[in-house]
Amino acid sequence: MTINLRHIILFVLFGLLLSFNKTNAQEVSISPVLNLRNYFSYEILGDVAGKSIVYRDKGYVKEMDVFNPELELVQSAELYFEKRRIDVFTLIEEDSSFQVLYGFFERDSMFLKQRTYNNRIELQDSSVFARLYKRDIRKRISTAVSDNKQKVLLSTVDEEENVIFLLYDSVNKKVEWLSKVDVDGDFRGYLDDIVLSDTGDFLLLINEGIWSSEPSKLSVLIISPSNNLQKYISFSLTDLFKDNIWIDIDNKHQRWLICGTYSKRKRKEAEGYFYISKKLSDFTSMEKFEYFPFDDDVFNELLQGKRKRGTAIENLALQNVLFRNDGGIVFVSEVVREYARRNPYNNYARSSFDGFSSRAWIDFYNEDVLVSSVSPDGSILWNKVLYKKQFSQDDDGIYSSFFIMKSPSRLRFIYNDEIKKNNTVSEYLMDPAGRIARNSLLSTAYQKMKLRFKDAIQISSRTLVVPSERNYDLNLVRITY
């Protein structure tokens, strides 16, 4: 049997069509509406034994709404506590249950408790894990949660201005470590971020330029509860401006990362990245950052030929850092601009009931994304620019930017093409070598949805859950590839 050229071409085109459809096929489920009017906040637990759960806080009323895998509402329940006035610190999602960590005052103390519920909102366990005196709580308790959800760091400040740290073990439901750290006032004023590792070690970033237009002076405090280690680390002074400062932990390789963008002239400009990545035991009391500037291709692609000699990239914000399996790093930055349309102190302010009146009337621009891959030895492997343009007004940019969905073979950068009622959703696919492809995913036309992708939750290598907010109405949207 002979096969002519036309048959070969048709066969190849048919194969490509099947491949394309398989790559872009996805299932989309939409939940019924939950009303958010008069609620202070909500939180989504993406997968508790196959069910998605929404926690809604109305002040004295705490509610849970349970959805099955098809996002059908199967249960709504109110949580009842010992006291009417309680403070919920955080929710810890587990495989088949979730924990609510909260506290309440009684006489001269605050009792810190945990409650464990299954995915039918049935109470499984309850216990007090700590008691703090009122005089030891001068600020609302804040929390940091490890990636594996097994450690929770709670912190506050006592009447003598000491910082109290409490490390909670969510597996054994008990306090693993409790300590007061005597620090000076400058430390507290410059504390920028706290990151907690899966082992319970944590790092505090002290950014002495956080409120200044002068070049930043950075230092960190590393605390290791397991061996009572407390180490201050300073960095060599330079005349470079540092911005978008990011700290994180690569739990697989046990390496701490401190990074950001730098420029020679002023903040809000970027000429390249700075970073340091080390194991806890390898840090010395004085360290210095590695700097690598952007090459001409990055400037040409992001500035599209508008670069002048000596200029930098303006408004490039570091949005995420990903850790490669080989110990390398992927930096993800986005061009983000804001413009005020009027004086925020104008007497004719907008109504306070709209939720956005605390700020001026603001135009938000979220544009191109720069992805840079760095090898374990610190050399740049590649830079890629993902083109997009998003514009919105007076919404704090909550529908803009993007979500990164991770799998062993690729990254998906998912985003709204435009910020409007009837919109299309697109994605960039990127493989480990930096090769990219762009696809259209779905349309929200006539669905009454506005998707908040930067608040999405990935629940498996193939599935994510995205909140949709419109006119105080909340829907969950599940996308499965």
Side-chain angles (χ1 to χ4, degrees):
M1 182 181 65
T2 60
I3 302 178
N4 61 31
L5 182 60
R6 180 172 176 272
H7 290 156
I8 294 175
I9 293 174
L10 288 175
F11 179 78
V12 171
L13 290 176
F14 181 70
L16 290 174
L17 181 61
L18 287 178
S19 176
F20 179 83
N21 287 336
K22 182 178 180 180
T23 300
N24 292 277
Q26 64 271 333
E27 299 177 0
V28 179
S29 302
I30 305 172
S31 76
V33 170
L34 296 178
N35 188 266
L36 297 178
R37 191 177 296 274
N38 300 323
Y39 287 83
F40 297 119
S41 63
Y42 68 90
E43 187 170 341
I44 300 172
L45 304 178
D47 186 12
V48 180
K51 294 181 179 178
S52 297
I53 300 175
V54 176
Y55 163 76
R56 291 186 289 166
D57 190 337
K58 203 175 184 178
Y60 292 131
V61 178
K62 321 289 185 183
E63 297 176 343
M64 310 297 292
D65 301 283
V66 183
F67 299 87
N68 64 17
E70 289 72 39
L71 289 186
E72 299 169 325
L73 181 62
V74 295
Q75 183 184 2
S76 293
E78 182 177 343
L79 300 183
Y80 295 96
F81 299 90
E82 300 88 341
K83 300 283 185 178
R84 190 166 180 233
R85 178 175 293 179
I86 68 160
D87 189 4
V88 174
F89 307 133
T90 190
L91 277 68
I92 308 298
E93 181 180 333
E94 300 172 331
D95 291 338
S96 58
S97 61
F98 65 93
Q99 292 184 42
V100 180
L101 303 189
Y102 66 100
F104 58 87
F105 286 105
E106 188 171 286
R107 296 180 181 176
D108 64 344
S109 302
M110 172 178 266
F111 291 88
L112 281 63
K113 295 194 66 174
Q114 67 81 24
R115 288 191 173 197
T116 302
Y117 296 86
N118 62 18
N119 65 1
R120 297 184 297 278
I121 320 300
E122 296 170 340
L123 183 63
Q124 304 295 295
D125 183 43
S126 177
S127 62
V128 175
F129 63 85
R131 175 184 176 182
L132 300 177
Y133 290 106
K134 282 185 180 180
R135 65 174 180 270
D136 291 334
I137 305 175
R138 288 294 175 265
K139 290 187 177 180
R140 187 172 183 178
I141 293 177
S142 59
T143 60
V145 183
S146 64
D147 287 345
N148 64 4
K149 307 296 178 68
Q150 296 181 8
K151 308 288 184 183
V152 181
L153 182 69
L154 299 97
S155 59
T156 185
V157 176
D158 69 8
E159 60 184 4
E160 297 178 352
E161 298 298 315
N162 297 311
V163 181
I164 297 177
F165 291 109
L166 185 152
L167 185 63
Y168 172 74
D169 180 348
S170 67
V171 176
N172 298 303
K173 300 177 183 177
K174 66 178 185 179
V175 173
E176 187 173 312
W177 178 78
L178 174 63
S179 180
K180 289 185 180 181
V181 178
D182 184 11
V183 297
D184 57 36
D186 290 341
F187 173 94
R188 286 186 303 277
Y190 298 137
L191 180 60
D192 198 1
D193 199 4
I194 301 177
V195 170
L196 177 66
S197 75
D198 287 347
T199 61
D201 301 328
F202 57 99
L203 184 150
L204 295 84
L205 175 66
I206 303 112
N207 179 5
E208 296 188 29
I210 190 171
W211 308 114
S212 171
S213 60
E214 299 298 320
S216 300
K217 180 181 177 183
L218 298 177
S219 57
V220 297
L221 171 61
I222 293 178
I223 297 179
S224 178
S226 60
N227 54 20
N228 291 319
L229 171 68
Q230 182 174 318
K231 181 188 295 186
Y232 279 97
I233 301 168
S234 299
F235 293 93
S236 300
L237 293 177
T238 68
D239 58 356
L240 297 175
F241 290 88
K242 301 179 182 67
D243 204 4
N244 304 298
I245 300 166
W246 189 285
I247 59 174
D248 211 337
I249 172 70
D250 180 355
N251 284 292
K252 178 179 179 180
H253 297 94
Q254 282 299 298
R255 295 179 68 91
W256 293 90
L257 172 70
I258 308 166
C259 62
T261 59
Y262 75 89
S263 73
K264 298 176 182 177
R265 298 195 309 167
K266 62 181 180 179
R267 298 186 192 280
K268 302 301 180 184
E269 285 189 347
E271 297 179 35
Y273 292 117
F274 71 89
Y275 87 107
I276 186 171
S277 177
K278 285 189 174 184
K279 292 187 176 181
L280 184 67
S281 58
D282 294 338
F283 277 102
T284 62
S285 60
M286 179 62 70
E287 293 283 355
K288 63 180 181 179
F289 291 113
E290 297 289 337
Y291 296 86
F292 50 90
F294 297 137
D295 59 26
D296 289 339
D297 290 340
V298 171
F299 284 106
N300 290 334
E301 289 196 57
L302 280 177
L303 300 178
Q304 299 178 4
K306 299 177 183 178
R307 183 190 182 192
K308 298 179 182 179
R309 179 174 295 181
T311 61
I313 300 172
E314 293 187 352
N315 304 301
L316 184 69
L318 183 61
Q319 301 285 44
N320 211 328
V321 173
L322 310 175
F323 296 106
R324 292 158 41 113
N325 288 329
D326 63 359
I329 305 166
V330 177
F331 297 104
V332 182
S333 298
E334 182 181 26
V335 177
V336 180
R337 297 180 286 125
E338 298 181 12
Y339 296 103
R341 300 199 303 280
R342 69 182 187 92
N343 190 330
Y345 302 106
N346 191 309
N347 290 330
Y348 299 99
R350 297 176 64 186
S351 165
S352 61
F353 298 105
D354 63 6
F356 300 109
S357 59
S358 61
R359 307 190 64 181
W361 288 358
I362 303 289
D363 292 341
F364 295 91
Y365 295 84
N366 289 69
E367 298 179 340
D368 302 335
V369 177
L370 172 64
V371 186
S372 304
S373 183
V374 181
S375 69
D377 65 7
S379 59
I380 294 288
L381 296 175
W382 45 260
N383 294 294
K384 297 293 179 180
V385 175
L386 312 180
Y387 296 103
K388 68 177 181 67
K389 287 188 180 295
Q390 296 167 317
F391 167 75
S392 64
Q393 295 180 312
D394 311 322
D395 64 353
D396 216 22
I398 62 174
Y399 305 105
S400 301
S401 200
F402 56 90
F403 176 73
I404 303 177
M405 188 173 182
K406 311 174 191 70
S407 70
S409 60
R410 68 185 67 185
L411 299 175
R412 297 179 184 270
F413 294 79
I414 308 173
Y415 61 96
N416 291 308
D417 282 319
E418 297 178 89
I419 312 304
K420 61 181 184 179
K421 293 180 181 179
N422 298 325
N423 177 45
T424 56
V425 175
S426 294
E427 68 171 359
Y428 280 100
L429 276 71
M430 177 176 288
D431 69 7
R435 292 185 291 263
I436 57 177
R438 186 181 181 277
N439 297 318
S440 292
L441 285 183
L442 56 93
S443 172
T444 63
Y446 312 110
Q447 296 293 329
K448 296 183 179 180
M449 294 191 306
K450 294 186 73 175
L451 299 170
R452 297 181 57 160
F453 274 108
K454 63 182 178 182
D455 298 309
I457 301 171
Q458 181 171 345
I459 61 177
S460 74
S461 62
R462 299 177 53 246
T463 304
L464 70 153
V465 173
V466 189
S468 168
E469 274 187 55
R470 186 170 181 236
N471 298 330
Y472 296 103
D473 287 339
L474 170 69
N475 300 88
L476 300 187
V477 180
R478 182 190 295 256
I479 303 174
T480 302
Y481 288 87

